[in-house]
Amino acid sequence: VPAPLSALPPSVAERVLVVHARQDEIVPIEHSRRLVAGSRAQLIEVDDDHPLTATSSGAQLGAWIDEVL
């Protein structure tokens, strides 16, 4: 399980965006939930599988990045 992002300074963590698929069969989504817990990082949960092939179009990725910036 990754270390939580809560140890990062808020000015850094608020620029962190984690995108995780709810149907990920390789990495449990709970790992990402714990990663961002207690921090200002954002978690976007998508209805997709591990490679994010259904939701990771260039336009969608750009929109997510714009949300963080």
Side-chain angles (χ1 to χ4, degrees):
V1 176
L5 295 174
S6 58
L8 292 175
S11 61
V12 174
E14 69 187 10
R15 300 226 179 252
V16 174
L17 174 66
V18 178
V19 179
H20 200 120
R22 290 185 189 104
Q23 289 82 34
D24 191 330
E25 62 283 340
I26 297 174
V27 180
I29 196 165
E30 189 56 38
H31 286 198
S32 290
R33 290 176 180 152
R34 281 186 263 163
L35 180 70
V36 302
S39 77
R40 296 182 73 178
Q42 295 180 37
L43 171 62
I44 296 177
E45 297 183 18
V46 295
D47 289 320
D48 205 346
D49 57 4
H50 182 74
L52 298 172
T53 53
T55 56
S56 63
S57 70
Q60 183 60 64
L61 291 172
W64 289 331
I65 292 168
D66 287 343
E67 286 181 31
V68 174
L69 298 177

